[in-house]
Amino acid sequence: MALRVPQANGPQLFKEGYKNLQGLEEVIFRNIQATKEMSEITRTSFGPNGRNKMVVNHLEKLFVTNDAATIIRELEVVHPAAKLIVMASQQQEAEAGDGTNYVIIFASELLQRAESLLRMGLHPSEIARGYELALKSALSGLEGLSTERVADWADKNELLKAIKTAIASKQYGQEDMLGGLVAEAVAAAMPVRDPKRFNVDNVRVVKVLGGALSQSRVEHGMVFPRAPETAAQSVRFAKVAVFSCPVDMGQTETKGTVLLHNAKEMLDYTKGEEAQMAKVVLELHEAGVKAVICGSGVGDLALHYFNRCGILALKVPSKFELRRLCRVVGANPLARLGVPTPEEMGYCDEIRTTEIGGDRVTIIRQWTADELAASEYASERPSFADRIQRSPLVTVVLRGATQNALDDAERAVDDGVNVVKALTKDPRLVPGACASEMELARLVQEAADRTAGINQHAMKAFAHALEVFARTMGDNAGVDSTALVAKLIAAHHSSASAQNSLAGPSIGVDVDCDYEPRLVDACEARILDPLAVKQWGLTYATQAALTVLQVDQIVMAKTAGGPKLPKQQAGHWDEDD
């Protein structure tokens, strides 16, 4: 590296307080070190045997999880190079719904392999060209590894192909039970004509503390963890009115004083309000409304008249839940208190209250055609009910001993649903258990051998970087990762025969090994991953690594001044002692 020549005294280029870093040692190697530290945090959480992390965020909320997306979201990463890797992993989460840790680990490994090439004397641009060629070769090889595809979106066994693998990386040992719940929920919420229109928002998760995870179940409809406000706890074949405003008498914004002269004026004071509320509730009753859903509070006077008319009233504080509910019942939320028009009114086959554990929950659901045919109340169903457009929303009710366990199970369910969403765009599946990565490493290595010039060094580094996933799985499983990678390389470079069946492109890591590394045929063991998740993961990780690699100077401005808040104490910092 060239010596830095001292500059003559004179006007400075930047204002005082600026930091200007440049060169290999000060910029590139420091950036690589930062990304390495970032990946070491999440790397031990990779795979079914991944460890949990205990993260306390700036609001002092505790997270115990092995989900990389949650870990990096709650960590306040300030290093600019590590932030680039975090942004790439977040984009992977948004695009494919899974593979966040995949991007962080692979991008960091690519940069560490590039560090040795830089020390050998290669230029960052030469390494970038080699990585781009290797990525192109890997993506074309990935297309040829596709073994199966999801054909029938209504078949739960077809959906389970990819769902089980995604859930096993988060909740190992519970993938059969949770995978069955997710497959049932997704099959119910899947559009019949066009699977590409599948909306992940149609699969909700409600967590009820207590019991065991095996007691979780799927409810076709919406589940609210609260009981109705009124005495009526269940209705059937009901017209539904949805209000986003409080069901109560309006209050004036200014204070006023009322002067009462005698007892008669005192008795007549509230009769106007009572008559007005009675009129509104009676008009709802005459319009055939049996259930009222409100986004704000329900007044005592309104509750009195609702109970007299036998109308069920439920409070839904969340505006997001209120929107979902409107999609289920086919209603429009009203910002005024009054009778909805037929177009604004919704319809629901059943609203009932039940107990899950020690908590009372309210279930709002539409009956399926089979349930309606088997029901003795089918004749009571109004004829207009079939004409209302409704959303097939499904709720997964999760049970668990602790809130952290429920949160982790919810993340596993979300990953399973998001994987199905990715499969609706590209239904192809590739072997999992690191089999695809080891086969891609072989293909890229062969492509590097055929490449002339200096690009072959970066391509070989790319191929060696693909082995990091098998090495990480071995480390997390507690076996010799070097011996495991050696076995995998031998299996992928040989063809299957009668003497050696564990050979070929579908051989991966067996995480159930006890002491010594063991291999498994991923296709026979039904360990399959969506091709789109691997495709986007390789692309985003390589692009992020190239972005970090091609930075040769960092210019940082002086942080903005201003008074700093004192540390938070027991009370509010601005209160007097």
Side-chain angles (χ1 to χ4, degrees):
M1 189 171 66
L3 288 172
R4 185 173 296 172
V5 180
Q7 297 178 355
N9 292 330
Q12 293 184 349
L13 179 62
F14 301 114
K15 289 173 66 176
E16 187 178 353
Y18 268 76
K19 286 184 180 178
N20 185 10
L21 306 173
Q22 57 185 348
L24 282 177
E25 292 290 344
E26 286 189 345
V27 178
I28 297 181
F29 292 158
R30 283 188 181 183
N31 286 346
I32 293 173
Q33 182 62 29
T35 57
K36 180 182 177 182
E37 291 176 9
M38 179 72 212
S39 73
E40 284 176 352
I41 295 173
T42 60
R43 185 171 167 177
T44 53
S45 297
F46 184 72
N49 292 319
R51 304 294 93 194
N52 285 341
K53 304 292 180 184
M54 189 175 288
V55 182
V56 181
N57 67 0
H58 62 287
L59 299 174
E60 296 186 0
K61 184 178 179 182
L62 174 66
F63 294 86
V64 181
T65 179
N66 62 353
D67 182 38
T70 305
I71 294 168
I72 63 173
R73 187 173 62 245
E74 298 305 327
L75 293 176
E76 295 182 2
V77 180
V78 294
H79 195 283
K83 271 187 176 179
L84 289 171
I85 306 296
V86 169
M87 283 190 277
S89 67
Q90 289 172 343
Q91 189 58 37
Q92 168 77 3
E93 177 75 11
E95 186 68 41
D98 196 13
T100 314
N101 210 352
Y102 190 97
V103 172
I104 296 174
I105 292 172
F106 189 51
S108 172
E109 187 68 18
L110 283 175
L111 288 169
Q112 290 175 55
R113 297 284 176 178
E115 181 179 2
S116 60
L117 295 177
L118 289 168
R119 294 191 186 277
M120 286 168 55
L122 268 71
H123 194 273
S125 298
E126 295 168 341
I127 299 173
R129 279 196 298 272
Y131 277 0
E132 286 170 356
L133 289 172
L135 175 64
K136 186 178 178 182
S137 175
L139 292 180
S140 64
L142 191 64
E143 300 277 339
L145 290 179
S146 173
T147 55
E148 295 188 33
R149 59 191 299 124
V150 178
D152 186 4
W153 297 101
D155 187 359
K156 297 175 189 175
N157 292 326
E158 285 279 308
L159 294 172
L160 272 173
K161 288 179 185 176
I163 291 175
K164 279 178 63 176
T165 310
I167 292 177
S169 64
K170 302 287 186 299
Q171 294 281 328
Y172 186 52
Q174 304 289 344
E175 64 270 14
D176 290 322
M177 189 271 300
L178 281 177
L181 294 178
V182 175
E184 181 184 347
V186 168
M190 183 69 68
V192 179
R193 296 180 181 175
D194 188 8
K196 291 183 179 179
R197 294 177 56 218
F198 171 66
N199 187 2
V200 294
D201 203 35
N202 285 344
V203 180
R204 291 180 66 248
V205 175
V206 168
K207 298 169 285 187
V208 180
L209 202 61
L213 195 61
S214 57
Q215 295 174 336
S216 305
R217 65 175 190 259
V218 173
E219 290 285 352
H220 295 262
M222 286 195 75
V223 178
F224 296 100
R226 61 188 305 142
E229 310 291 323
T230 53
Q233 299 288 299
S234 63
V235 291
R236 193 184 299 114
F237 306 132
K239 291 181 180 179
V240 181
V242 181
F243 297 101
S244 59
C245 61
V247 183
D248 200 357
M249 298 310 300
Q251 301 292 328
T252 58
E253 293 183 3
T254 57
K255 292 183 178 180
T257 304
V258 179
L259 183 61
L260 302 174
H261 296 88
N262 50 45
K264 185 176 183 303
E265 289 182 358
M266 186 174 178
L267 290 171
D268 295 340
Y269 175 62
T270 58
K271 281 189 177 178
E273 288 187 358
E274 291 177 12
Q276 190 176 353
M277 181 56 72
K279 180 185 175 185
V280 171
V281 175
L282 284 173
E283 286 177 350
L284 288 170
H285 182 62
E286 289 169 0
V289 174
K290 292 184 181 179
V292 171
I293 314 293
C294 59
S296 299
V298 183
D300 292 337
L301 196 58
L303 278 178
H304 167 70
Y305 287 111
F306 282 149
N307 286 329
R308 285 183 61 177
C309 295
I311 297 176
L312 183 145
L314 179 67
K315 180 181 174 183
V316 181
S318 169
K319 62 181 180 180
F320 303 106
E321 300 291 345
L322 201 66
R323 289 176 191 164
R324 289 192 184 101
L325 179 65
C326 288
R327 291 210 308 269
V328 172
V329 299
N332 292 330
L334 303 179
R336 54 168 178 81
L337 194 58
V339 181
T341 62
E343 292 79 16
E344 295 169 334
M345 199 179 297
Y347 171 80
C348 177
D349 283 332
E350 181 185 19
I351 302 178
R352 60 184 170 88
T353 306
T354 185
E355 280 197 9
I356 298 178
D359 298 333
R360 294 181 66 80
V361 299
T362 304
I363 301 172
I364 301 176
R365 63 192 297 264
Q366 309 287 4
W367 286 359
T368 61
D370 295 337
E371 289 176 325
L372 193 62
S375 173
E376 58 183 4
Y377 303 105
S379 58
E380 301 176 15
R381 194 170 192 254
S383 58
F384 66 84
D386 295 327
R387 297 193 296 271
I388 297 177
Q389 294 292 325
R390 298 184 297 269
S391 170
L393 199 140
V394 185
T395 303
V396 180
V397 182
L398 293 176
R399 307 295 311 281
T402 65
Q403 192 63 42
N404 284 317
L406 285 174
D407 291 341
D408 227 21
E410 181 186 13
R411 294 184 197 107
V413 170
D414 287 341
D415 276 359
V417 175
N418 284 319
V419 160
V420 175
K421 177 64 177 176
L423 283 171
T424 57
K425 301 175 185 175
D426 187 352
R428 291 175 295 176
L429 297 166
V430 295
C434 298
S436 298
E437 286 77 15
M438 294 305 297
E439 184 65 17
L440 290 179
R442 184 183 68 81
L443 294 174
V444 174
Q445 183 76 36
E446 291 177 355
D449 293 337
R450 295 192 302 268
T451 304
I454 209 160
N455 292 334
Q456 63 176 310
H457 298 292
M459 293 181 72
K460 289 179 180 178
F462 191 99
H464 289 305
L466 283 166
E467 297 170 3
V468 68
F469 300 105
R471 197 179 307 113
T472 303
M473 292 266 277
D475 289 338
N476 292 344
V479 298
D480 186 356
S481 58
T482 306
L484 176 64
V485 172
K487 279 189 173 184
L488 281 169
I489 292 173
H492 281 264
H493 279 77
S494 58
S495 57
S497 62
Q499 292 80 17
N500 183 18
S501 60
L502 288 177
S506 62
I507 304 304
V509 182
D510 187 358
V511 294
D512 285 331
C513 50
D514 296 327
Y515 302 106
E516 59 181 23
R518 202 164 57 203
L519 306 183
V520 66
D521 191 324
C523 293
E524 289 183 5
R526 313 303 297 157
I527 305 172
L528 301 169
D529 287 329
L531 184 142
V533 174
K534 306 276 188 189
Q535 201 172 40
W536 288 113
L538 292 171
T539 304
Y540 286 136
T542 308
Q543 288 176 352
L546 293 181
T547 305
V548 174
L549 197 60
Q550 291 174 326
V551 173
D552 72 333
Q553 188 172 8
I554 300 176
V555 182
M556 289 186 289
K558 183 181 179 182
T559 54
K564 293 183 179 180
L565 292 176
K567 291 184 179 179
Q568 294 288 344
Q569 297 173 352
H572 193 272
W573 66 271
D574 201 30
E575 291 178 354
D576 294 331
D577 293 333

